[in-house]
Amino acid sequence: MDPEKDRPSSTHDSAHWTTNAGAPVWNNNNSLTVGAKGPILLEDYHLVEKIANFDRERIPERAVHARGASAKGYFEVTHDVTDLTCADFLREKGVQTPIIVRFSTVVHERGSPESLRDPRGFAVKFYTREGNFDMVGNNMPVFFVRDGIKFPDMVHAFKPNPKTNQQEKWRIMDFFSHVPESLHMFTFLLDDVGIPQDYRHMEGFGVNTFSLFNKAGDAHLVKFHWKPKCGVKCLLPEEAIKVGGTCHSHATKDLYDSIEAGEFPEWELLMQVMDPEQEDKLDFDPLDVTKTWPEDKFPLKPVGRMVLNKNIDNFFAENEQLAFCPAIVVPGIYYSDDKLLQTRIFSYPDAQRYRLGPNYLQLPVNAPRNAHHNNHHDGKMNFMHRNEEVNYFPSKFDPVQHADKYPMPKSVVKGIREKCVIEKENNFSQAGERYRSFAQDRKERFINMVVDFLSAPRVTDEIRKIWISNWSQADESLGKEVASRLKMSS
């Protein structure tokens, strides 16, 4: 045996994708679901392996959202929504729930400037009487990919070239030329909102679709929105360069200073609600995270307000060890069959257990504030004081019993095991609508950013033609303008 010749190496090319064990992968684009719209199956070994490997790529910095800032405060219910959900923290107007929020940039490393063009994370942890609820979102309402199996590839394309350790636009343009569903998200990333002025002046969105259940068990689909009381403000590219050259932590400083000065940032929580029977009446799949729900059909309903009135006491304990997970919900709120959400339910806690350890929910910033009891035992960094002799269930010696039953999804899941694209992709219409909603000066800035990315070294004419075709399908005039500036035919 020749160790140099036989050792695992990426240079031992295969003609097709394989698992780590060498098994052929015939579909690297779609997760295995029950039917075309059903939930993802845990038996999709390739998906689980791909996500699990991705979650363990970096230590101890987060793989994404590494650069962040946190603050504490409260959420107050301002409107009655008990007809939609039995969630205890939304039980009546005036109820206040302690919260902690973490804002972040997504792609760039922990020491990067906060003035770079990038989506921003917007995650809120509610410490409710029925356990924690993590609302994990971004400052943009849509996402680049609709299926979590593409997430590692997407992040790799945005991250630095593993050879040069530099973020390179040709890699981004190459990957997303194969992913037309991303077009809508690029109308946000390359728009003015791609560089928020700071964390106080940006919106937040749950992005994924969740389910709400009231006491009667009636179900509705929901999307969450955060609207800043002080309005949305962004930095133009030349302003961002100036700010970044002055202070790498300008947004963190602004958040901290405003709270110290008593100018407490505030957001209104609103939600869009959809009856399940409306799901098939749209020209797109409402569970597709690359789409928004039209507000004329699904108006924003006010729920409450969030006020940040206290800075964190220790950056490491309450920012670096702060961990969010969209799988952490409370009775009255549940998941939907949103394919990206289904993957995030596994990926987030898996990444946190790797980064912080299996007992990361015992850390004070992540632990629930209500009484809790289970038989989880030992493991790394376990500091739960236990003196009971019974650590199994059921037992005549343990008085702890099941909680009262609460509403859960009742839908029947039936279908063929298959990896497939959703039925109604509709990749271009919402991207075009958003572009046409811009004022002329905003259109000009957007086109300049598109041309800048497509003019990057190593972006080939073939890749440019694909992008021009995609932008043309979104808006014919946009495609022609981009082609003209690149001196190519549309």
Side-chain angles (χ1 to χ4, degrees):
M1 177 177 178
D2 184 344
E4 289 295 320
K5 180 180 179 182
D6 296 325
R7 70 181 181 183
S9 171
S10 63
T11 60
H12 294 177
D13 287 335
S14 167
H16 51 254
W17 295 107
T18 71
T19 65
N20 284 347
V25 173
W26 68 269
N27 188 327
N28 194 32
N29 288 318
N30 305 109
S31 302
L32 186 66
T33 57
V34 181
K37 298 182 67 176
I40 288 174
L41 295 173
L42 188 61
E43 72 183 55
D44 189 344
Y45 174 79
H46 172 53
L47 167 67
V48 173
E49 178 187 86
K50 188 173 180 180
I51 295 295
N53 272 265
F54 171 75
D55 289 342
R56 290 163 173 79
E57 282 185 358
R58 288 172 176 81
I59 183 173
E61 185 176 284
R62 290 169 170 88
V64 288
H65 298 277
R67 168 67 129 133
S70 303
K72 295 182 281 191
Y74 64 89
F75 174 79
E76 181 181 6
V77 180
T78 57
H79 290 74
D80 183 4
V81 292
T82 53
D83 60 321
L84 297 171
T85 178
C86 59
D88 178 73
F89 77 102
L90 299 174
R91 62 189 178 274
E92 62 182 356
K93 290 192 289 185
V95 170
Q96 291 189 358
T97 301
I99 52 120
I100 188 169
V101 179
R102 187 175 189 269
F103 305 106
S104 57
T105 57
V106 175
V107 173
H108 304 286
E109 66 275 8
R110 193 161 57 190
S112 60
E114 291 177 311
S115 54
L116 296 176
R117 184 173 298 275
D118 199 12
R120 301 301 194 270
F122 195 122
V124 183
K125 187 182 294 291
F126 299 77
Y127 299 102
T128 88
R129 301 194 308 183
E130 291 188 318
N132 292 350
F133 169 46
D134 288 358
M135 189 184 294
V136 191
N138 287 332
N139 71 319
M140 300 173 184
V142 293
F143 201 62
F144 295 99
V145 296
R146 61 171 67 99
D147 193 315
I149 201 168
K150 292 182 179 178
F151 186 78
D153 300 295
M154 180 207 79
V155 175
H156 286 168
F158 272 116
K159 285 287 188 178
N161 182 325
K163 183 176 182 179
T164 67
N165 198 37
Q166 299 177 57
Q167 187 186 46
E168 295 170 352
K169 292 174 182 175
W170 68 267
R171 289 163 42 83
I172 300 170
M173 293 292 95
D174 174 34
F175 172 72
F176 286 106
S177 70
H178 302 278
V179 188
E181 70 209 53
S182 67
L183 217 63
H184 194 192
M185 180 62 168
F186 274 98
T187 66
F188 289 88
L189 180 64
L190 302 185
D191 177 36
D192 294 349
V193 296
I195 313 178
Q197 176 177 293
D198 48 57
Y199 296 132
R200 290 186 300 129
H201 292 89
M202 70 180 194
E203 295 176 292
F205 301 91
V207 183
N208 293 113
T209 300
F210 283 81
S211 300
L212 295 181
F213 290 87
N214 60 20
K215 289 183 179 179
D218 301 322
H220 294 84
L221 298 174
V222 63
K223 278 185 175 289
F224 297 109
H225 300 247
W226 294 104
K227 300 293 183 184
K229 185 176 180 181
C230 58
V232 175
K233 295 182 181 179
C234 307
L235 295 175
L236 298 180
E238 57 273 18
E239 295 173 326
I241 293 172
K242 183 178 180 180
V243 168
T246 304
C247 178
H248 275 204
S249 304
H250 81 281
T252 296
K253 185 178 187 302
D254 175 84
L255 179 66
Y256 186 92
D257 290 349
S258 66
I259 293 175
E260 286 297 294
E263 299 172 2
F264 302 140
E266 183 175 331
W267 284 262
E268 182 181 18
L269 176 64
L270 306 105
M271 59 186 182
Q272 289 179 286
V273 179
M274 181 184 298
D275 293 328
E277 57 266 23
Q278 294 176 282
E279 188 176 334
D280 295 323
K281 297 179 181 179
L282 302 169
D283 63 356
F284 63 93
D285 187 334
L287 302 185
D288 178 355
V289 293
T290 68
K291 305 294 187 295
T292 55
W293 295 358
E295 292 183 14
D296 58 337
K297 294 181 180 178
F298 307 99
L300 295 172
K301 297 178 178 292
V303 181
R305 68 188 187 112
M306 174 175 71
V307 179
L308 300 182
N309 60 2
K310 188 178 189 303
N311 279 309
I312 57 175
D313 299 310
N314 181 277
F315 182 79
F316 181 77
E318 297 180 292
N319 185 78
E320 293 305 289
Q321 291 193 138
L322 177 58
F324 294 90
C325 172
I328 295 180
V329 295
V330 292
I333 302 175
Y334 202 71
Y335 323 119
S336 74
D337 290 337
D338 172 340
K339 293 181 78 172
L340 187 69
L341 175 60
Q342 292 271 316
T343 307
R344 294 177 80 205
I345 290 169
F346 163 76
S347 180
Y348 275 63
D350 185 55
Q352 305 295 8
R353 292 182 187 112
Y354 167 66
R355 189 175 70 88
L356 297 171
N359 292 300
Y360 77 96
L361 288 175
Q362 291 182 17
L363 293 166
V365 73
N366 299 320
R369 304 284 177 86
N370 60 309
H372 57 288
H373 178 93
N374 55 55
N375 291 325
H376 301 332
H377 247 256
D378 303 338
K380 294 180 180 179
M381 300 299 291
N382 190 318
F383 50 89
M384 178 71 71
H385 179 73
R386 312 188 74 131
N387 59 8
E388 69 270 18
E389 295 179 277
V390 176
N391 59 351
Y392 49 84
F393 178 86
S395 169
K396 294 293 186 182
F397 298 95
D398 186 349
V400 179
Q401 300 297 320
H402 288 120
D404 294 336
K405 187 176 181 180
Y406 51 83
M408 293 282 285
K410 299 177 182 178
S411 56
V412 177
V413 178
K414 182 180 180 181
I416 301 170
R417 291 186 179 93
E418 54 185 329
K419 285 177 173 275
C420 56
V421 177
I422 66 169
E423 294 176 359
K424 292 185 283 190
E425 289 190 90
N426 200 350
N427 291 324
F428 305 108
S429 64
Q430 289 195 0
E433 289 168 7
R434 177 168 165 79
Y435 169 75
R436 287 188 291 275
S437 73
F438 295 164
Q440 190 56 45
D441 60 334
R442 193 169 178 178
K443 285 182 179 178
E444 181 66 20
R445 291 192 295 272
F446 177 75
I447 293 171
N448 287 339
M449 289 305 307
V450 171
V451 172
D452 176 67
F453 271 68
L454 290 174
S455 300
R458 297 184 66 177
V459 176
T460 66
D461 282 349
E462 181 183 9
I463 292 173
R464 292 188 184 103
K465 287 178 181 177
I466 294 171
W467 276 98
I468 290 170
S469 173
N470 288 345
W471 287 124
S472 296
Q473 291 179 76
D475 183 273
E476 187 177 358
S477 65
L478 172 58
K480 287 182 177 179
E481 187 61 31
V482 171
S484 174
R485 298 193 188 192
L486 291 171
K487 296 180 171 53
M488 299 183 68
S489 57
S490 59

